Amino acid sequence: MKILILISFLALVSCQSTHTKIDSPEVVPSIPAADVSAVSSVAVDSIEPLKLGIILGPGGARALAHIGVLKQFHDKKVSVKAVVGIEWGALIAASFAQKGSAHEVEWQLSKIRDYSPQDQSDIRSGLKPLQVYLQSIKAESSAVPFACPSLNLKKSQVFMMARGRLDQLLPFCMAYPPMTESHELSLAAARELSLASDYLRSRGANYVLFVNVLPGLSIKESSSWLELAYDLRKKWSGLDQRLDILIDQKGIRDFKMQTDLIQLGYEQSSKAAEKLLQRM
């Protein structure tokens, strides 16, 4: 009888011991406050700052509004990593790229205020007042990386022009009928926004802004310009943002309206500049 009682007691003790072992919680060491802070710091530091690449779009004289955009970015301290210009936007971009100065562009382009092109003009006639300035500069020596897309009609191929004297290079990127005739069978590749974006990213940009100066184009302009204005409002791969500058009552030949065009670009890019600065 005593033996039976002893066996029962030992069995009960054994059951309680096993039960306790299963239910006891595992102790997980806490992370010290210093370690949590370190993890948070790494997460913040891993966010890459915005490096802006800009495409200055086509528009004849309306492209002068790009100068106002660049001045606004300068005043807001929005830095530009690389720049591409299309058609007359190429002249603005190339001039800006030399020193990264919007005020330099404004001063140089004041020399073409009296330019009044007729259909099928030679693009070099519009650049003549800038001849001395342009022939002294090579694109590859720019302070800010610059290129412009040119369509070679003979080869049916688009080239990103980024080397050579500006007086020789720019006509290949700026000629665009009907305002100007082709230059040595080459035209501005006005719809190559994706190619332009690829170039900017290859030069270190991680955010691409396209500045479009064709919104508000008069129905009286040629059908080729109206079609281009429509196409450039579409979504293009490689672009992160499109900044539309609405320009009414100013045509692609209104170079005499330079002051007004620059002011429009300046005023309408203020909010965009503030938002970009917050991400830098």
Side-chain angles (χ1 to χ4, degrees), residues 9-53:
F9 175 78
L10 292 173
L12 179 60
V13 171
S14 175
C15 288
Q16 289 177 342
S17 176
T18 303
H19 181 75
T20 302
K21 188 177 254 187
I22 292 174
D23 286 352
S24 61
E26 181 182 358
V27 178
V28 179
S30 60
I31 301 175
D35 291 345
V36 175
S37 176
V39 171
S40 177
S41 176
V42 169
V44 172
D45 292 344
S46 66
I47 300 175
E48 186 178 7
L50 186 146
K51 297 175 183 177
L52 180 64

Side-chain angles (χ1 to χ4, degrees), residues 132-154:
V132 175
Y133 167 68
L134 296 177
Q135 68 184 11
S136 66
I137 301 171
K138 289 187 176 181
E140 60 269 29
S141 66
S142 301
V144 178
F146 155 78
C148 55
S150 174
L151 170 62
N152 185 297
L153 299 174
K154 186 176 181 179

Side-chain angles (χ1 to χ4, degrees), residues 74-221:
H74 173 269
D75 290 351
K76 291 287 196 302
K77 293 181 172 53
V78 175
S79 59
V80 178
K81 183 71 175 179
V83 62
V84 167
I86 301 176
E87 199 250 352
W88 275 85
L91 176 60
I92 313 295
S95 301
F96 169 76
Q98 299 317 301
K99 298 180 181 179
S101 169
H103 295 286
E104 171 78 5
V105 182
E106 183 176 20
W107 181 74
Q108 291 293 345
L109 268 69
S110 65
K111 301 173 185 177
I112 62 170
R113 191 184 303 272
D114 295 329
Y115 178 49
S116 182
Q118 304 300 317
D119 282 353
Q120 301 302 315
S121 297
D122 185 336
I123 186 62
R124 289 173 296 185
S125 65
L127 298 177
K128 193 172 182 179
L130 298 170
Q131 183 69 21
V132 175
Y133 167 68
L134 296 177
Q135 68 184 11
S136 66
I137 301 171
K138 289 187 176 181
E140 60 269 29
S141 66
S142 301
V144 178
F146 155 78
C148 55
S150 174
L151 170 62
N152 185 297
L153 299 174
K154 186 176 181 179
K155 296 181 179 180
S156 298
Q157 188 174 352
V158 174
F159 296 91
M160 289 301 293
M161 310 291 284
R163 297 185 64 83
R165 277 177 21 192
L166 291 185
D167 64 316
Q168 298 174 344
L169 177 154
L170 286 173
F172 289 94
C173 297
M174 294 178 62
Y176 194 74
M179 187 168 73
T180 54
E181 62 184 2
S182 65
H183 176 73
E184 296 184 14
L185 292 178
S186 292
L187 302 173
R191 293 173 173 81
E192 292 294 336
L193 300 184
S194 296
L195 183 63
S197 175
D198 290 344
Y199 170 82
L200 293 171
R201 294 183 191 280
S202 74
R203 295 302 182 271
N206 59 14
Y207 191 91
V208 176
L209 169 70
F210 167 50
V211 185
N212 183 16
V213 295
L214 289 180
L217 190 66
S218 171
I219 195 69
K220 296 180 180 180
E221 295 289 356

Side-chain angles (χ1 to χ4, degrees), residues 232-279:
L232 294 185
R233 292 183 67 86
K234 297 177 181 177
K235 290 184 178 180
W236 292 82
S237 63
L239 301 185
D240 296 293
Q241 182 181 348
R242 188 185 74 224
L243 172 59
D244 288 332
I245 306 298
L246 179 62
I247 303 173
D248 291 323
Q249 300 178 349
K250 293 173 182 60
I252 60 172
R253 294 175 174 81
D254 287 337
F255 289 89
K256 62 182 180 296
M257 304 297 293
Q258 182 174 130
T259 301
D260 291 345
L261 288 162
I262 292 174
Q263 187 62 28
L264 283 170
Y266 187 86
E267 292 172 352
Q268 295 186 38
S269 57
S270 178
K271 290 183 179 179
E274 290 173 0
K275 291 181 179 179
L276 289 169
L277 184 61
Q278 291 173 3
R279 300 184 57 180

